[in-house]
Amino acid sequence: MSNPRRPRRRQQRAIDTRQRILDTAGALFVTESYEGASVSDLITAARTSKGAFYRHFPGGKLDVATAIMEDTLSMDGLREQRLMLQEVIDIGMILAYRISHESALQAALMLSFHSNAPETYGTPWPDWIVFNTGQLAEARRRGELKPFVDVAEQAHQIAGNWAGTVLISHTLDRHLGNVEARVSRMYRNLVTAIAVPEILPELDFSVNRGNHLYTTFLQTTPDPSPEPDPSPERDFVPEPDFAPERDFAPAPDSAQESGSRPAPYAAPDPDPDGDPVAG
């Protein structure tokens, strides 16, 4: 008799494996750099098999970098506020809190500054600027901004100031323990210059605001319950004899290769997302 819970457990194991790969990859990208970490390093650090790795990331290291960008840089924790400028502050404080605790987010920030990031694994800055532009435009409509403020220019400046504050803090301090305090002061100085004076007493620039908002989000968001997968994917593992492992570090001036070749078939692992079994 089949076990009806097996597909659900298998899918949850796959989710856990994928997240473990991303977490360990983020840490390696921070300590060793994207170029310095090989696929073999990622597999070993994540304590997974080659088949499980390529099942989740068939494009290798580039797919991992893309997933880090897409998964980590989110608006999680942001809540609707009465003042639009408070939401502009809040997302920056949430990310400041997260980047001091999450290696994957630290890796995403570093990767985002590669000159060819937009053409390879993506970059968050355009989306953040669009978000800031929308919030500032609504803030202007509500009378929260001083008349001289250029919304489009200010949206760029906020994103640039946040990134610069985080990078300089990490470079000078050699850690990110002070980043929330520095980002808080940055927002206080910037918003004081552009906001009408009467709303300033209502704005919260506290150092622990990002911690509070993100922790509350995690505590009030239920864990997703994955649906059973009626037809689990089979693993096609690239074998070294036919498709040697190749790490493609993004190169700004190199042209993309055209064409594609199918990966050779290899027998699927009995437990594609489990830990490798010692021989």
Side-chain angles (χ1 to χ4, degrees):
M1 179 180 295
S2 62
N3 184 348
R5 295 187 179 182
R6 183 178 177 82
R8 186 179 296 272
R9 289 202 305 269
R10 180 182 294 143
Q11 191 176 54
Q12 185 59 51
R13 186 182 302 142
I15 293 171
D16 293 342
T17 299
R18 182 181 186 277
Q19 189 59 50
R20 188 169 70 248
I21 292 171
L22 292 178
D23 290 342
T24 54
L28 282 176
F29 290 165
V30 170
T31 58
E32 306 296 331
S33 80
Y34 176 87
E35 293 81 2
S38 68
V39 169
S40 294
D41 293 333
L42 304 186
I43 292 172
T44 300
R47 306 185 311 282
T48 190
S49 67
K50 192 171 184 178
F53 178 89
Y54 279 103
R55 174 178 182 267
H56 293 288
F57 304 104
K61 194 166 64 172
L62 184 59
D63 277 7
V64 174
T66 302
I68 286 176
M69 284 294 190
E70 293 175 348
D71 292 3
T72 59
L73 291 157
S74 67
M75 294 291 176
D76 291 347
L78 186 64
R79 298 166 60 182
E80 184 176 349
Q81 304 291 334
R82 191 182 71 82
L83 297 174
M84 288 296 100
L85 285 177
Q86 185 66 67
E87 294 186 19
V88 172
I89 297 165
D90 286 351
I91 191 59
M93 293 306 302
I94 290 169
L95 291 173
Y97 166 73
R98 289 183 57 202
I99 204 168
S100 64
H101 293 79
E102 301 175 17
S103 58
L105 192 57
Q106 296 170 26
L109 179 65
M110 295 170 59
L111 291 168
S112 72
F113 284 102
H114 275 272
S115 59
N116 61 330
E119 295 78 31
T120 52
Y121 37 70
T123 178
W125 306 116
D127 289 342
W128 197 353
I129 290 169
V130 168
F131 169 81
N132 287 336
T133 301
Q135 303 306 95
L136 291 172
E138 180 62 17
R140 160 157 286 170
R141 190 187 71 80
R142 298 184 183 189
E144 298 177 20
L145 298 179
K146 293 177 180 177
F148 71 84
V149 176
D150 184 313
V151 166
E153 290 297 325
Q154 195 63 60
H156 279 77
Q157 185 178 351
I158 290 172
N161 283 5
W162 186 94
T165 299
V166 172
L167 289 174
I168 291 176
S169 181
H170 182 262
T171 300
L172 297 181
D173 298 336
R174 310 307 301 172
H175 60 80
L176 289 168
N178 299 324
V179 72
E180 290 175 90
R182 296 182 189 277
V183 169
S184 173
R185 286 194 293 272
M186 181 273 289
Y187 274 111
R188 183 181 294 276
N189 293 336
L190 188 150
V191 173
T192 298
I194 66 173
V196 294
E198 50 267 32
I199 72 167
L200 290 176
E202 300 182 50
L203 295 172
D204 185 354
F205 299 95
S206 58
V207 173
N208 65 346
R209 183 163 178 84
N211 182 348
H212 169 73
L213 289 171
Y214 193 66
T215 302
T216 301
F217 165 78
L218 294 178
Q219 292 173 345
T220 56
T221 302
D223 292 333
S225 298
E227 293 298 323
D229 185 358
S231 55
E233 295 180 11
R234 304 179 68 187
D235 286 334
F236 291 84
V237 186
E239 291 295 335
D241 293 340
F242 300 98
E245 178 184 306
R246 300 173 63 190
D247 293 340
F248 290 93
D253 298 326
S254 62
Q256 295 292 328
E257 293 184 356
S258 62
S260 62
R261 59 178 180 180
Y265 174 80
D269 293 342
D271 185 2
D273 291 295
D275 294 334
V277 180

